[in-house]
Amino acid sequence: MGAKSFYELLQVLLTDNRLEFNALHEIEEIKGLDFNSKVFFCNPYCSFQKGGCERNHEFIRYVYPKGTSFDELTQENISLLFSNINS
């Protein structure tokens, strides 16, 4: 796939704490590239967190469809959005 395609397609990764993710620094950064991926882990024995994050992403996309810029979002907008999602 190549490093550039990997980072363009997989900007954010959410996973559990398994052995294949021991080399986190190799996933997040490759020298010479202007972009990188971010990796986030669920807490140990809390696999339900991944599903919850994916569902929250769906709710966000109901309000801000894919392709919508987040540049104009304020903290107030984000707080209101997540207040509604979490209630």
Side-chain angles (χ1 to χ4, degrees), residues 1-86:
M1 155 182 267
K4 185 175 179 178
S5 295
F6 177 85
Y7 289 117
E8 286 175 354
L9 295 172
L10 302 169
Q11 295 175 8
V12 177
L13 300 164
L14 177 63
T15 186
D16 52 15
N17 236 343
R18 296 182 56 168
L19 292 176
E20 57 265 23
F21 293 101
N22 279 348
L24 179 63
H25 63 282
E26 293 176 15
I27 296 171
E28 285 192 323
E29 244 178 75
I30 291 182
K31 292 179 182 176
L33 294 179
D34 294 334
F35 40 82
N36 57 12
S37 293
K38 297 293 180 197
V39 179
F40 298 93
F41 295 101
C42 295
N43 293 330
Y45 305 105
C46 296
S47 59
F48 62 88
Q49 291 175 338
K50 188 171 181 183
C53 288
E54 290 172 359
R55 187 69 179 143
N56 282 346
H57 181 260
E58 287 180 37
F59 288 139
I60 293 166
R61 288 301 180 189
Y62 288 142
V63 178
Y64 299 103
K66 189 172 182 178
T68 302
S69 174
F70 292 163
D71 292 340
E72 302 299 320
L73 283 179
T74 63
Q75 184 60 50
E76 186 177 335
N77 296 128
I78 295 168
S79 296
L80 178 62
L81 175 66
F82 278 95
S83 175
N84 285 300
I85 288 173
N86 293 329

